[in-house]
Amino acid sequence: MTEHRSSAESPWAAEIRTHPRQAFGRLFERHSETIYNYCFRQTASWHAAEDLTSTVFLEAWRSRDRVVVQGDSLLPWLYGIATNVCRRRRRTLARRWRALDRLPREVAQPDPADDVAGRVDDERRMAEVLAVIDRLPARERDVVALVVWEELDYQSAATALDIPVGTVRSRLSRARRRLSNSLAAPHIQEQQ
């Protein structure tokens, strides 16, 4: 991501430069749940979302000298990092699945904890949504995740993805059209 600095340094950037530990503590307290939910929506796994959230904040810490502040918020910058972390995870999983296809599959044993049923239902529903969303090209998936799920405005999504605002709009439009077409197709087949 390119470095964006205005002539006047933002309070966040100044605090990160002068008191990085305290600033990142506040940043984590303020945005960790939002990033956690974003990672869940990308993976359909609460466990993976926990790991990815940790990775996002670790990578943010490592790249603190390249912080991007939009207005008074670092959230678009964190979304950009989270998007890249989730992409890497998808690529890693795809490689693992290809390798595991040659091995017999194990049947997962259910966990007897009280909240497992709700978590399993959440993950199943999210996996169904992701099955439809995964048909989109990666560029469009990222825009849908940030604008639709995370409710970022176009400018914030553009900052997170390091693309122009017009590109965000066109990718979202194409994604909506593709999703509408893919959701309409099963209904047409059922009627015939």
Side-chain angles (χ1 to χ4, degrees), residues 130-144:
L130 280 180
V132 174
I133 298 294
D134 279 346
R135 294 181 196 146
L136 295 174
R139 298 178 317 264
E140 292 174 17
R141 271 196 315 261
D142 295 341
V143 170
V144 167

Side-chain angles (χ1 to χ4, degrees), residues 38-180:
Y38 175 74
C39 291
F40 171 72
R41 289 183 193 111
Q42 293 290 313
T43 63
S45 167
W46 292 114
H47 178 72
E50 288 175 19
D51 290 344
L52 292 170
T53 300
S54 297
T55 303
V56 167
F57 282 92
L58 177 62
E59 289 196 17
W61 172 260
R62 288 178 178 160
S63 63
R64 66 189 177 275
D65 60 326
R66 297 183 312 270
V67 66
V68 177
V69 181
Q70 180 184 352
D72 289 335
S73 179
L74 290 175
L75 191 56
W77 178 62
L78 291 173
Y79 276 130
I81 294 170
T83 298
N84 289 330
V85 166
C86 290
R87 278 183 192 158
R88 279 196 308 270
R89 179 185 184 274
R90 272 195 294 274
R91 286 192 301 264
T92 298
L93 287 177
R95 284 191 299 268
R96 286 183 187 163
W97 281 114
R98 286 191 298 269
L100 290 174
D101 277 344
R102 296 183 296 269
L103 302 173
R105 299 192 192 262
E106 292 182 26
V107 176
Q109 298 297 319
D111 188 350
D114 292 339
D115 67 336
V116 169
R119 287 174 164 259
V120 169
D121 287 344
D122 289 346
E123 290 183 358
R124 180 187 49 78
R125 284 191 298 267
M126 197 65 207
E128 290 171 0
V129 170
L130 280 180
V132 174
I133 298 294
D134 279 346
R135 294 181 196 146
L136 295 174
R139 298 178 317 264
E140 292 174 17
R141 271 196 315 261
D142 295 341
V143 170
V144 167
L146 292 172
V147 175
V148 177
W149 286 345
E150 299 306 316
E151 299 178 351
L152 286 184
D153 60 56
Y154 293 137
Q155 181 59 53
S156 296
T159 299
L161 297 173
D162 197 23
I163 58 175
V165 173
T167 303
V168 170
R169 292 177 191 274
S170 63
R171 286 180 184 175
L172 184 59
S173 175
R174 281 192 300 274
R176 285 179 173 153
R177 187 172 49 253
R178 288 179 208 260
L179 289 172
S180 177

